[in-house]
Amino acid sequence: MSPAPGGPGPSGQPRHGYLLLAAITLFWGINWPAIKLSLGVLSIWEFRLLCAAVGGLGLLALSLLGGHGLRVPRRQVGPLLLCALFNIVGWHLLSAFGVLLMPAGRAVILAFTMPLWASLLAVPLLGERLDATRIAGLLLGLAGLAVLVGPDLLVFGTAPLGATMMLLAAASWGLGTVLLKRFRWTLPTTTLAGWQQVAGAVVIGLGGLAVGGLGSWSPDAKLSEAGLPEASLVEALAILYAATVPMVFCIWAFMHTVRLLPAQIAAIGTLAIPVVGVFSSALLLEEVVGLRELLALGLICTALAIVLLLPLRRRQAG
């Protein structure tokens, strides 16, 4: 007899936890071509303001529905704003610039070097030890970066600005992740994530106003006689998808999955996101996936497996 829906899976864990993990992997991976399509209509500032605002309000609504309060203790406001600066503002803006300047499939590979930078930043900020596992992961990650963007550096006139933006985005995300671990929180996780998004949306909105990034639309957008962008059905669906599913459902589902499943299984699901991103970009955007992309993907996913999975196995063995 097969297990009942939502019952225990093959390892004794709740089956719906595995279903959520599969959905997260698929939906976060598909988000990368959706970002690329969205930036053909909206400016970076408009798009990221929309994502952060919808994501923040959606997560706060889910927190309320879950019976949690939204009040932030005064002593946690400063740490929350600091984490939002790196997790939301830095990550959102830098990654959007990166996707705009390079193929989405390549961008997602660079984005998921985040755990490598987080493991390094945890040494000075959290007092963790720089062991052989972290060094091996970093070296493999750097090898993947060399394969992916190294040849471009040798071509005259090629400015790897997109790759630089993506690496800065990954480093910003990694720093924000480490800072979240550094501070002690009494807020529910969903409330904390929601307020970070809202705070980030305010900063992005003010920044967009300051630089004229709001109301300017994408340089590639086709404008109507009224001066408004004309989005195709695919582009409109991409904008709707990118602002809702990854920003609300995926964040909530990942937090729920971490509580349902062992951290090792959740980490394995994370490794599959760049794989989905690369091949969904090839399918939806007709981007070329060549030997360089596959080799870089393999090296960086191996690096992530070393950094994420080996420490978990050691803790379980201990």
Side-chain angles (χ1 to χ4, degrees):
M1 180 181 293
S2 61
S11 61
Q13 306 299 331
R15 182 170 295 277
H16 68 278
Y18 289 95
L19 294 176
L20 281 176
L21 185 60
I24 293 164
T25 302
L26 177 64
F27 294 155
W28 257 335
I30 293 175
N31 187 43
W32 289 89
I35 293 173
K36 188 79 170 182
L37 289 167
S38 300
L39 292 175
V41 179
L42 302 176
S43 73
I44 287 170
W45 297 91
E46 292 159 344
F47 174 64
R48 284 314 198 184
L49 172 59
L50 176 66
C51 289
V54 172
L57 294 176
L59 288 170
L60 292 178
L62 288 176
S63 190
L64 280 176
L65 289 173
H68 301 298
L70 301 184
R71 181 179 173 274
V72 181
R74 184 175 299 179
R75 61 184 175 83
Q76 295 180 31
V77 171
L80 187 151
L81 294 176
L82 181 62
C83 291
L85 179 64
F86 295 102
N87 275 326
I88 309 303
V89 180
W91 163 253
H92 274 327
L93 294 179
L94 290 168
S95 63
F97 275 110
V99 172
L100 189 65
L101 296 170
M102 68 186 303
R106 285 189 166 202
V108 67
I109 296 174
L110 298 180
F112 277 83
T113 60
M114 181 280 280
L116 306 181
W117 311 124
S119 69
L120 287 179
L121 291 167
V123 174
L125 293 177
L126 301 179
E128 296 183 3
R129 189 166 59 91
L130 184 62
D131 55 15
T133 297
R134 294 175 194 244
I135 293 173
L138 179 63
L139 291 177
L140 278 172
L142 291 175
L145 296 181
V147 169
L148 189 65
V149 302
D152 292 336
L153 300 178
L154 303 177
V155 179
F156 178 78
T158 297
L161 184 58
T164 301
M165 289 291 187
M166 285 310 310
L167 289 176
L168 288 174
S172 180
W173 183 14
L175 177 56
T177 300
V178 172
L179 289 174
L180 279 173
K181 294 181 179 180
R182 182 179 176 87
F183 298 114
R184 299 186 65 179
W185 306 96
T186 58
L187 286 169
T189 307
T190 307
T191 304
L192 176 60
W195 280 124
Q196 281 189 83
Q197 296 276 15
V198 170
V202 172
V203 175
I204 292 171
L206 292 175
L209 287 173
V211 302
L214 300 181
S216 58
W217 317 122
S218 167
D220 299 326
K222 298 178 181 179
L223 300 181
S224 66
E225 294 181 359
L228 298 176
E230 293 182 342
S232 67
L233 178 60
V234 171
E235 290 169 332
L237 290 174
I239 293 170
L240 178 63
Y241 176 90
T244 54
V245 178
M247 301 303 301
V248 181
F249 171 77
C250 287
I251 293 175
W252 169 84
F254 184 74
M255 294 172 181
H256 195 57
T257 301
V258 169
R259 291 197 299 268
L260 289 173
L261 301 177
Q264 188 172 3
I265 295 176
I268 291 172
T270 303
L271 299 182
I273 294 173
V275 178
V276 175
V278 167
F279 289 102
S280 63
S281 296
L283 179 65
L284 298 174
L285 304 177
E286 299 183 352
E287 293 181 356
V288 176
V289 180
L291 182 60
R292 277 172 58 188
E293 287 77 12
L294 293 176
L295 182 56
L297 183 65
L299 286 168
I300 289 175
C301 284
T302 303
L304 295 182
I306 290 173
V307 170
L308 294 173
L309 299 183
L310 287 185
L312 290 171
R313 289 194 172 186
R314 287 175 183 169
R315 290 192 205 107
Q316 291 174 350

Coordinates of all heavy atoms in Angstrom, one line a residue, residues 170-247:
A170 N 26.1 37.9 -5.2 CA 26.3 36.7 -4.4 C 27.0 37.0 -3.1 O 26.6 36.4 -2.1 CB 27.0 35.6 -5.2
A171 N 28.0 37.8 -3.2 CA 28.7 38.2 -2.0 C 27.8 39.0 -1.0 O 27.8 38.8 0.2 CB 29.9 39.0 -2.3
S172 N 26.9 39.9 -1.6 CA 26.0 40.7 -0.7 C 25.0 39.7 -0.1 O 24.7 39.8 1.1 CB 25.3 41.7 -1.6 OG 24.4 42.4 -0.9
W173 N 24.5 38.8 -0.8 CA 23.6 37.8 -0.3 C 24.2 36.9 0.8 O 23.7 36.7 1.9 CB 23.1 36.9 -1.4 CG 22.1 35.9 -1.1 CD1 21.3 35.8 0.1 CD2 21.7 34.8 -1.9 NE1 20.5 34.7 0.0 CE2 20.7 34.0 -1.2 CE3 22.1 34.4 -3.2 CZ2 20.1 32.9 -1.7 CZ3 21.5 33.2 -3.7 CH2 20.5 32.5 -3.0
G174 N 25.5 36.5 0.5 CA 26.2 35.8 1.5 C 26.5 36.5 2.8 O 26.3 36.0 3.9
L175 N 26.8 37.8 2.7 CA 27.1 38.7 3.9 C 25.8 38.8 4.6 O 25.8 38.8 5.9 CB 27.6 40.0 3.4 CG 27.8 41.1 4.6 CD1 28.7 40.5 5.7 CD2 28.4 42.4 4.0
G176 N 24.7 39.1 3.9 CA 23.4 39.2 4.6 C 23.0 37.9 5.3 O 22.4 38.0 6.5
T177 N 23.3 36.8 4.8 CA 23.0 35.5 5.4 C 23.8 35.3 6.7 O 23.3 34.9 7.7 CB 23.3 34.3 4.4 OG1 22.5 34.5 3.3 CG2 23.0 33.0 5.1
V178 N 25.1 35.7 6.6 CA 25.9 35.6 7.8 C 25.5 36.5 8.9 O 25.4 36.2 10.1 CB 27.4 35.8 7.5 CG1 28.3 35.9 8.7 CG2 27.9 34.7 6.5
L179 N 25.1 37.7 8.5 CA 24.6 38.7 9.5 C 23.3 38.2 10.2 O 23.1 38.5 11.4 CB 24.3 40.1 8.8 CG 25.6 40.8 8.4 CD1 25.2 42.1 7.6 CD2 26.4 41.2 9.7
L180 N 22.4 37.5 9.4 CA 21.2 37.0 10.0 C 21.6 36.0 11.1 O 20.9 35.9 12.2 CB 20.4 36.3 9.0 CG 19.5 37.1 8.1 CD1 18.9 36.3 7.0 CD2 18.4 37.8 8.9
K181 N 22.7 35.2 11.0 CA 23.1 34.3 12.0 C 23.8 35.0 13.1 O 23.8 34.4 14.3 CB 24.1 33.2 11.4 CG 23.4 32.3 10.3 CD 24.4 31.3 9.8 CE 23.7 30.4 8.8 NZ 24.7 29.4 8.2
R182 N 24.4 36.1 12.9 CA 25.1 36.8 13.9 C 24.2 37.4 15.0 O 24.6 37.4 16.2 CB 26.0 37.9 13.3 CG 26.9 38.7 14.3 CD 27.7 39.8 13.6 NE 28.4 40.6 14.5 CZ 29.6 40.3 15.0 NH1 30.2 39.1 14.6 NH2 30.2 41.0 15.9
F183 N 23.1 37.9 14.6 CA 22.2 38.5 15.5 C 21.2 37.5 16.1 O 20.8 36.5 15.4 CB 21.4 39.7 14.8 CG 22.3 40.8 14.3 CD1 22.4 41.0 12.9 CD2 23.0 41.6 15.2 CE1 23.2 42.0 12.5 CE2 23.8 42.6 14.7 CZ 23.9 42.8 13.4
R184 N 20.7 37.8 17.3 CA 19.7 37.0 17.9 C 18.3 37.6 17.7 O 18.1 38.8 17.9 CB 19.9 36.9 19.4 CG 21.3 36.2 19.7 CD 21.5 36.0 21.2 NE 20.5 35.0 21.7 CZ 20.4 34.7 23.0 NH1 21.3 35.2 23.9 NH2 19.5 33.8 23.4
W185 N 17.4 36.8 17.2 CA 16.1 37.2 16.8 C 15.0 36.6 17.6 O 15.0 35.4 18.0 CB 15.8 36.9 15.3 CG 16.9 37.4 14.4 CD1 17.9 36.7 13.9 CD2 17.0 38.7 13.8 NE1 18.7 37.4 13.0 CE2 18.1 38.7 13.0 CE3 16.3 39.9 13.9 CZ2 18.6 39.8 12.3 CZ3 16.7 41.0 13.2 CH2 17.8 41.0 12.4
T186 N 14.0 37.4 18.0 CA 12.8 36.9 18.6 C 11.6 36.9 17.7 O 10.5 36.4 18.0 CB 12.5 37.7 19.9 OG1 12.3 39.1 19.5 CG2 13.6 37.6 20.9
L187 N 11.8 37.5 16.5 CA 10.7 37.6 15.5 C 10.5 36.2 14.9 O 11.4 35.5 14.7 CB 11.1 38.6 14.4 CG 11.0 40.0 14.7 CD1 11.7 40.8 13.5 CD2 9.6 40.5 14.8
P188 N 9.2 35.9 14.5 CA 9.0 34.7 13.7 C 9.7 34.9 12.4 O 9.9 36.0 11.8 CB 7.5 34.7 13.5 CG 6.9 35.5 14.6 CD 8.0 36.5 14.9
T189 N 10.2 33.8 11.8 CA 11.0 33.8 10.6 C 10.3 34.5 9.4 O 10.9 35.3 8.7 CB 11.5 32.4 10.2 OG1 12.1 31.8 11.3 CG2 12.5 32.5 9.0
T190 N 9.0 34.2 9.3 CA 8.3 34.8 8.1 C 8.1 36.3 8.3 O 8.2 37.1 7.4 CB 6.9 34.1 8.0 OG1 7.0 32.7 8.0 CG2 6.2 34.6 6.8
T191 N 7.9 36.7 9.6 CA 7.8 38.1 9.8 C 9.1 38.8 9.6 O 9.1 39.9 9.0 CB 7.4 38.4 11.3 OG1 6.2 37.7 11.6 CG2 7.2 39.8 11.6
L192 N 10.2 38.2 10.0 CA 11.5 38.8 9.8 C 11.8 38.9 8.3 O 12.3 40.0 7.8 CB 12.6 37.9 10.4 CG 14.1 38.3 10.2 CD1 14.4 39.7 10.7 CD2 15.0 37.2 10.8
A193 N 11.5 37.9 7.5 CA 11.7 38.0 6.0 C 10.8 39.0 5.4 O 11.2 39.7 4.5 CB 11.4 36.6 5.4
G194 N 9.6 39.1 5.9 CA 8.6 40.1 5.3 C 9.1 41.5 5.5 O 9.1 42.3 4.6
W195 N 9.5 41.8 6.8 CA 9.9 43.2 7.0 C 11.2 43.5 6.3 O 11.5 44.7 5.9 CB 10.1 43.4 8.5 CG 8.8 43.7 9.2 CD1 8.3 43.0 10.3 CD2 7.9 44.7 9.0 NE1 7.0 43.5 10.7 CE2 6.8 44.6 9.9 CE3 7.8 45.8 8.0 CZ2 5.7 45.5 9.9 CZ3 6.7 46.6 8.0 CH2 5.7 46.5 8.9
Q196 N 12.1 42.6 6.1 CA 13.3 42.8 5.3 C 12.9 43.2 3.9 O 13.5 44.2 3.3 CB 14.2 41.6 5.3 CG 15.0 41.3 6.5 CD 16.0 40.2 6.3 OE1 17.1 40.4 5.7 NE2 15.7 39.0 6.7
Q197 N 12.0 42.5 3.3 CA 11.5 42.9 2.0 C 10.9 44.3 1.9 O 11.2 45.0 1.0 CB 10.5 41.8 1.5 CG 11.1 40.4 1.3 CD 11.8 40.2 0.0 OE1 12.1 41.1 -0.7 NE2 12.0 39.0 -0.3
V198 N 10.1 44.6 2.9 CA 9.4 45.9 2.9 C 10.5 47.0 3.1 O 10.4 48.0 2.4 CB 8.4 46.0 4.1 CG1 7.9 47.4 4.3 CG2 7.2 45.0 3.8
A199 N 11.4 46.8 4.0 CA 12.5 47.8 4.2 C 13.3 48.0 2.9 O 13.6 49.1 2.5 CB 13.4 47.4 5.4
G200 N 13.6 46.8 2.3 CA 14.3 46.9 1.0 C 13.6 47.6 -0.1 O 14.2 48.4 -0.9
A201 N 12.3 47.4 -0.1 CA 11.4 48.1 -1.1 C 11.5 49.6 -1.0 O 11.5 50.3 -1.9 CB 10.0 47.6 -1.1
V202 N 11.4 50.0 0.3 CA 11.5 51.5 0.6 C 12.8 52.1 0.0 O 12.8 53.1 -0.6 CB 11.3 51.8 2.1 CG1 11.6 53.2 2.4 CG2 9.9 51.4 2.5
V203 N 13.9 51.4 0.3 CA 15.2 51.9 -0.1 C 15.3 51.8 -1.6 O 15.8 52.8 -2.2 CB 16.4 51.0 0.5 CG1 17.7 51.4 0.0 CG2 16.3 51.2 2.1
I204 N 14.9 50.8 -2.2 CA 14.9 50.7 -3.7 C 14.1 51.7 -4.3 O 14.5 52.4 -5.3 CB 14.5 49.3 -4.2 CG1 15.5 48.2 -3.7 CG2 14.3 49.2 -5.7 CD1 15.1 46.8 -3.9
G205 N 12.9 52.0 -3.8 CA 12.0 53.0 -4.3 C 12.6 54.4 -4.2 O 12.6 55.2 -5.2
L206 N 13.2 54.7 -3.1 CA 13.9 56.0 -2.9 C 15.1 56.1 -3.8 O 15.3 57.2 -4.4 CB 14.3 56.2 -1.5 CG 13.2 56.4 -0.4 CD1 13.7 56.4 1.0 CD2 12.3 57.6 -0.7
G207 N 15.8 55.0 -4.0 CA 17.0 55.1 -4.9 C 16.6 55.3 -6.3 O 17.2 56.0 -7.1
G208 N 15.5 54.6 -6.7 CA 14.9 54.7 -8.1 C 14.5 56.1 -8.4 O 14.7 56.7 -9.5
L209 N 13.9 56.8 -7.4 CA 13.5 58.2 -7.6 C 14.7 59.1 -7.7 O 14.7 60.0 -8.5 CB 12.6 58.6 -6.4 CG 11.2 58.1 -6.3 CD1 10.5 58.5 -5.0 CD2 10.3 58.5 -7.5
A210 N 15.7 58.8 -6.9 CA 16.9 59.6 -6.9 C 17.6 59.6 -8.2 O 18.2 60.6 -8.7 CB 17.8 59.2 -5.7
V211 N 17.7 58.4 -8.8 CA 18.5 58.3 -10.1 C 17.6 58.3 -11.3 O 18.1 58.1 -12.4 CB 19.3 57.0 -10.1 CG1 20.2 56.9 -8.9 CG2 18.4 55.7 -10.1
G212 N 16.3 58.6 -11.2 CA 15.4 58.6 -12.3 C 15.1 57.2 -12.9 O 14.7 57.1 -14.1
G213 N 15.2 56.2 -12.0 CA 14.9 54.9 -12.5 C 13.5 54.4 -12.5 O 13.2 53.3 -13.0
L214 N 12.6 55.2 -11.9 CA 11.2 54.9 -11.9 C 10.4 55.7 -13.0 O 10.7 56.8 -13.2 CB 10.6 55.2 -10.5 CG 11.2 54.5 -9.3 CD1 10.5 54.9 -8.1 CD2 11.1 53.0 -9.5
G215 N 9.6 54.9 -13.7 CA 8.9 55.6 -14.8 C 9.7 55.7 -16.1 O 9.2 56.3 -17.1
S216 N 10.9 55.1 -16.1 CA 11.7 55.2 -17.3 C 11.6 53.9 -18.2 O 12.0 53.9 -19.3 CB 13.2 55.3 -16.9 OG 13.6 54.3 -16.1
W217 N 11.0 52.9 -17.6 CA 10.8 51.6 -18.3 C 12.2 51.0 -18.8 O 13.2 51.6 -18.6 CB 9.8 51.7 -19.5 CG 8.6 52.5 -19.1 CD1 8.2 53.6 -19.8 CD2 7.7 52.3 -18.1 NE1 7.0 54.1 -19.2 CE2 6.7 53.3 -18.2 CE3 7.6 51.3 -17.1 CZ2 5.6 53.4 -17.3 CZ3 6.5 51.4 -16.2 CH2 5.5 52.4 -16.3
S218 N 12.1 49.9 -19.4 CA 13.3 49.2 -19.9 C 13.7 49.9 -21.2 O 12.9 50.3 -22.0 CB 13.1 47.7 -20.1 OG 14.1 47.2 -20.9
P219 N 15.1 50.0 -21.5 CA 15.5 50.6 -22.8 C 15.0 49.8 -23.9 O 14.9 50.3 -25.1 CB 17.0 50.5 -22.6 CG 17.3 50.5 -21.2 CD 16.2 49.7 -20.6
D220 N 14.7 48.5 -23.7 CA 14.3 47.6 -24.8 C 12.8 47.5 -25.0 O 12.2 46.9 -25.9 CB 14.8 46.2 -24.5 CG 16.3 46.1 -24.5 OD1 16.9 46.9 -25.2 OD2 16.8 45.3 -23.7
A221 N 12.0 48.2 -24.1 CA 10.6 48.2 -24.1 C 10.0 48.9 -25.3 O 10.5 50.0 -25.7 CB 10.0 48.7 -22.8
K222 N 8.9 48.3 -25.8 CA 8.2 49.0 -26.9 C 7.1 49.9 -26.2 O 6.3 49.4 -25.4 CB 7.5 48.0 -27.8 CG 8.5 47.2 -28.6 CD 7.8 46.1 -29.4 CE 8.7 45.3 -30.2 NZ 8.0 44.3 -31.0
L223 N 7.1 51.2 -26.5 CA 6.1 52.1 -25.8 C 4.9 52.4 -26.6 O 5.0 52.5 -27.9 CB 6.9 53.4 -25.4 CG 8.1 53.3 -24.5 CD1 8.7 54.6 -24.2 CD2 7.7 52.5 -23.2
S224 N 3.8 52.5 -26.0 CA 2.6 52.9 -26.7 C 2.5 54.4 -26.9 O 3.4 55.1 -26.5 CB 1.3 52.5 -25.8 OG 1.3 53.2 -24.6
E225 N 1.5 54.9 -27.5 CA 1.4 56.3 -27.8 C 1.3 57.1 -26.5 O 1.6 58.3 -26.4 CB 0.2 56.6 -28.6 CG 0.3 56.1 -30.1 CD -0.9 56.4 -30.9 OE1 -1.9 57.1 -30.4 OE2 -0.9 56.1 -32.1
A226 N 0.8 56.4 -25.4 CA 0.6 57.0 -24.1 C 1.9 57.0 -23.3 O 2.0 57.5 -22.2 CB -0.5 56.3 -23.3
G227 N 3.0 56.4 -23.9 CA 4.3 56.4 -23.2 C 4.4 55.2 -22.3 O 5.4 55.2 -21.5
L228 N 3.5 54.3 -22.3 CA 3.5 53.1 -21.4 C 4.1 51.9 -22.2 O 3.9 51.8 -23.4 CB 2.1 52.8 -20.9 CG 1.5 53.9 -20.1 CD1 0.0 53.5 -19.7 CD2 2.3 54.2 -18.8
P229 N 4.8 51.0 -21.4 CA 5.4 49.9 -22.1 C 4.3 48.9 -22.6 O 3.3 48.7 -21.9 CB 6.3 49.2 -21.0 CG 5.6 49.6 -19.7 CD 5.1 51.0 -20.0
E230 N 4.5 48.3 -23.7 CA 3.6 47.3 -24.3 C 4.3 45.9 -24.1 O 5.3 45.6 -24.7 CB 3.4 47.5 -25.8 CG 2.6 48.8 -26.0 CD 2.3 49.0 -27.5 OE1 3.0 48.4 -28.3 OE2 1.4 49.8 -27.8
A231 N 3.8 45.2 -23.1 CA 4.3 43.9 -22.8 C 3.6 42.8 -23.6 O 2.3 42.8 -23.7 CB 4.3 43.6 -21.3
S232 N 4.3 41.8 -24.1 CA 3.6 40.7 -24.7 C 3.0 39.8 -23.6 O 3.3 40.1 -22.4 CB 4.6 39.8 -25.5 OG 5.6 39.2 -24.6
L233 N 2.2 38.9 -23.9 CA 1.6 38.0 -22.9 C 2.7 37.3 -22.1 O 2.6 37.2 -20.9 CB 0.6 37.0 -23.6 CG 0.0 36.0 -22.6 CD1 -0.9 36.7 -21.6 CD2 -0.9 35.0 -23.4
V234 N 3.7 36.8 -22.8 CA 4.8 36.1 -22.1 C 5.5 37.0 -21.1 O 5.8 36.6 -20.0 CB 5.7 35.5 -23.2 CG1 7.0 34.9 -22.5 CG2 5.1 34.4 -24.0
E235 N 5.8 38.2 -21.6 CA 6.5 39.1 -20.7 C 5.6 39.5 -19.5 O 6.1 39.6 -18.3 CB 6.9 40.4 -21.5 CG 8.0 40.1 -22.5 CD 8.2 41.3 -23.4 OE1 7.2 42.1 -23.6 OE2 9.3 41.5 -23.9
A236 N 4.3 39.7 -19.7 CA 3.4 40.1 -18.6 C 3.3 38.9 -17.6 O 3.3 39.1 -16.4 CB 2.0 40.4 -19.2
L237 N 3.2 37.7 -18.1 CA 3.2 36.5 -17.2 C 4.5 36.4 -16.5 O 4.5 36.0 -15.3 CB 2.9 35.3 -18.0 CG 1.5 35.1 -18.6 CD1 1.3 33.9 -19.4 CD2 0.4 35.1 -17.4
A238 N 5.6 36.7 -17.1 CA 6.9 36.6 -16.5 C 7.0 37.6 -15.3 O 7.5 37.3 -14.2 CB 8.0 36.9 -17.5
I239 N 6.5 38.8 -15.5 CA 6.5 39.8 -14.5 C 5.7 39.4 -13.3 O 6.1 39.5 -12.1 CB 6.1 41.2 -15.0 CG1 7.1 41.7 -16.0 CG2 5.9 42.2 -13.9 CD1 6.6 42.9 -16.8
L240 N 4.5 38.9 -13.6 CA 3.5 38.4 -12.6 C 4.2 37.3 -11.8 O 4.1 37.2 -10.5 CB 2.2 38.0 -13.2 CG 1.2 37.4 -12.2 CD1 0.7 38.5 -11.2 CD2 0.0 36.9 -13.0
Y241 N 4.8 36.4 -12.5 CA 5.4 35.2 -11.9 C 6.6 35.6 -11.0 O 6.6 35.2 -9.8 CB 5.9 34.2 -12.9 CG 6.6 33.0 -12.4 CD1 6.0 31.9 -12.1 CD2 8.0 33.1 -12.2 CE1 6.6 30.8 -11.5 CE2 8.7 32.0 -11.7 CZ 8.0 30.9 -11.3 OH 8.7 29.8 -10.8
A242 N 7.5 36.4 -11.5 CA 8.7 36.8 -10.8 C 8.4 37.6 -9.5 O 9.1 37.5 -8.5 CB 9.6 37.6 -11.7
A243 N 7.3 38.4 -9.5 CA 6.9 39.2 -8.4 C 6.2 38.4 -7.3 O 6.0 38.9 -6.2 CB 6.1 40.4 -8.8
T244 N 5.7 37.2 -7.6 CA 4.8 36.6 -6.7 C 5.4 35.2 -6.2 O 5.7 35.0 -5.1 CB 3.4 36.4 -7.2 OG1 3.5 35.7 -8.5 CG2 2.7 37.7 -7.4
V245 N 5.5 34.3 -7.2 CA 5.8 32.9 -6.8 C 7.2 32.8 -6.1 O 7.2 32.2 -5.0 CB 5.8 32.0 -8.0 CG1 6.2 30.6 -7.7 CG2 4.4 32.0 -8.6
P246 N 8.3 33.3 -6.6 CA 9.6 33.2 -5.9 C 9.6 34.0 -4.7 O 10.2 33.7 -3.7 CB 10.6 33.7 -6.9 CG 9.9 33.7 -8.2 CD 8.5 33.9 -8.0
M247 N 9.0 35.2 -4.7 CA 9.1 36.2 -3.6 C 8.2 35.9 -2.4 O 8.5 36.3 -1.3 CB 8.8 37.6 -4.1 CG 9.6 38.0 -5.3 SD 11.4 38.0 -4.9 CE 11.4 39.1 -3.5

